[in-house]
């Protein structure tokens, strides 16, 4: 059983017209950093007999906050004509919604073998689970280096860059961060798409570390095209394999649709 329970809205942080974060309070079960939950709101449907029925509109979202933080934080993109994201965007402090009691997923560090360098690739709002993992800080000592890469379209989409910089200071040299813009060029950020930057060795040269099957594990989270293309490149060119519970590999993936 995984029931829906009520979540109270503490704050809606509107970063841009299309990006926002919900700060919630709910009595959910303990979760692991990197896992996701489901949020829902009721939609009223009028049947042919004019009876009103309530149907839940639901979607999966990752936690941004560390599990030890009682305030739940969810980072969301507002989808044009998307029913739920637009309803969530217009919530206000004091409103309520539904959240699942128990969380989901295996995009967690305990599913990853110890290695020298852990690479965390994210596009858009998929930076969330990495923020949760790094804010919690558990089980990170198994890795000599951690590289956090956030790829977005425009500079204004780098809404969690201040937190990334805070984490960079917190880890005192262990954590390296890099931002990538695909539709804008600015100083201190790479330009292009992740598979292209890997194929041309631009990203690794900037970081100063190499990705290979001997010393690296790669986490991929975000746009399914990025995840697929990056996975295929690493499989074909770096001899890396998908990480499975029954057979350990070098690449752990999660798609954000």
């Amino acid at each position: 059983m995984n029931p829906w329970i009520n979540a109270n809205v503490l704050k809606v942080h509107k970063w841009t017209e299309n990006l926002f974060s919900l700060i919630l309070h709910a009595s959910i079960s303990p979760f692991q950093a990197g896992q996701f939950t489901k949020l829902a709101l009721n939609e009223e449907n009028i049947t042919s007999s004019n009876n009103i029925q309530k149907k839940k509109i639901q979607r999966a979202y990752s936690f941004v906050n560390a599990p030890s933080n009682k305030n739940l934080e969810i980072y969301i993109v507002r989808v044009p004509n998307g029913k739920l994201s637009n309803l969530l965007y217009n919530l206000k402090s004091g409103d309520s919604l539904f959240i699942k009691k128990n969380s989901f997923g295996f995009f967690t560090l305990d599913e990853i073998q110890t290695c020298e360098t852990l690479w965390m690739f994210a596009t858009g709002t998929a930076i969330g689970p990495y923020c949760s993992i790094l804010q919690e800080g558990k089980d990170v000592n198994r890795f000599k280096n951690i590289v956090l890469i956030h790829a977005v379209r425009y500079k204004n989409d780098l809404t969690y860059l201040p937190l990334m910089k805070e984490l960079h200071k917190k880890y005192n040299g262990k954590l390296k961060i890099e931002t990538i813009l695909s539709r804008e060029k600015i100083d201190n950020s790479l330009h292009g798409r992740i598979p292209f930057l890997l194929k041309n060795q631009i990203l690794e040269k900037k970081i100063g570390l190499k990705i290979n099957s001997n010393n690296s594990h790669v986490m991929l989270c975000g746009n399914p095209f990025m995840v697929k293309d990056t996975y295929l490149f690493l499989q074909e060119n770096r001899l890396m394999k998908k990480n499975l519970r029954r057979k350990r590999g070098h690449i752990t993936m999660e798609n954000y649709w």
Side-chain angles (χ1 to χ4, degrees):
M1 289 291 292
N2 191 4
W4 291 103
I5 61 172
N6 287 325
N8 297 317
V9 178
L10 302 180
K11 182 180 180 180
V12 182
H13 194 141
K14 296 181 178 180
W15 304 100
T16 69
E17 290 184 355
N18 296 312
L19 295 170
F20 65 104
S21 298
L22 294 179
I23 312 298
L24 310 171
H25 183 267
S27 299
I28 64 169
S29 302
F31 70 93
Q32 288 182 274
Q35 287 190 306
F36 65 91
T37 187
K38 290 183 180 180
L39 302 180
L41 287 168
N42 279 332
E43 178 187 38
E44 291 187 350
N45 291 332
I46 301 177
T47 66
S48 57
S49 59
N50 292 326
N51 292 324
I52 296 177
Q53 296 180 339
K54 290 186 176 180
K55 175 186 176 182
K56 281 187 174 61
I57 313 171
Q58 58 179 285
R59 202 172 191 279
Y61 297 103
S62 291
F63 294 104
V64 176
N65 61 290
S68 56
N69 188 339
K70 292 183 180 179
N71 288 339
L72 308 178
E73 185 169 355
I74 310 292
Y75 186 32
I76 303 172
V77 60
R78 187 183 185 189
V79 180
N81 301 317
K83 288 185 178 180
L84 184 58
S85 64
N86 282 279
L87 290 172
L88 294 175
Y89 184 84
N90 289 309
L91 290 174
K92 296 178 175 58
S93 176
D95 288 341
S96 63
L97 65 157
F98 298 103
I99 190 170
K100 281 293 186 178
K101 177 76 172 178
N102 304 314
S103 302
F104 308 85
F106 302 101
F107 199 71
T108 57
L109 291 191
D110 62 359
E111 297 291 330
I112 294 172
Q113 289 184 308
T114 300
C115 64
E116 183 175 325
T117 304
L118 177 62
W119 296 77
M120 298 174 162
F121 287 87
T123 59
T125 56
I127 192 68
Y130 299 129
C131 291
S132 180
I133 290 169
L134 293 169
Q135 286 186 99
E136 186 71 357
K138 289 183 179 179
D139 209 23
V140 297
N141 291 331
R142 298 189 291 118
F143 312 102
K144 180 181 178 181
N145 306 299
I146 301 175
V147 183
L148 176 61
I149 297 158
H150 191 198
V152 297
R153 294 179 178 180
Y154 302 102
K155 177 183 177 181
N156 288 343
D157 298 333
L158 294 172
T159 55
Y160 277 87
L161 183 56
L163 175 58
M164 291 170 64
K165 290 181 176 179
E166 286 180 17
L167 291 167
H168 179 258
K169 291 180 181 179
K170 171 185 174 180
Y171 281 92
N172 195 29
K174 178 189 286 286
L175 175 66
K176 302 177 187 298
I177 63 172
E178 184 59 50
T179 56
I180 301 171
L181 305 184
S182 63
R183 299 189 181 180
E184 186 178 6
K185 291 184 178 181
I186 62 170
D187 293 338
N188 302 318
S189 287
L190 292 176
H191 175 71
R193 300 185 183 279
I194 289 172
F196 170 83
L197 295 171
L198 285 173
K199 181 179 180 180
N200 292 277
Q201 299 185 25
I202 297 170
L203 177 59
E204 291 161 284
K205 184 176 180 180
K206 177 81 180 291
I207 297 295
L209 295 169
K210 296 285 290 183
I211 301 175
N212 61 65
S213 58
N214 295 322
N215 67 5
S216 304
H217 193 101
V218 175
M219 300 178 77
L220 302 173
C221 190
N223 182 289
F225 297 105
M226 181 281 289
V227 171
K228 178 183 177 182
D229 290 347
T230 305
Y231 167 70
L232 290 175
F233 171 80
L234 295 172
Q235 182 187 48
E236 294 170 4
N237 296 277
R238 304 299 172 85
L239 304 179
M240 303 178 85
K241 299 179 181 179
K242 185 176 180 180
N243 189 44
L244 303 171
R245 304 197 85 184
R246 64 182 181 275
K247 188 176 182 181
R248 295 302 184 184
H250 320 95
I251 306 170
T252 299
M253 300 179 284
E254 186 135 287
N255 290 327
Y256 268 43
W257 292 93

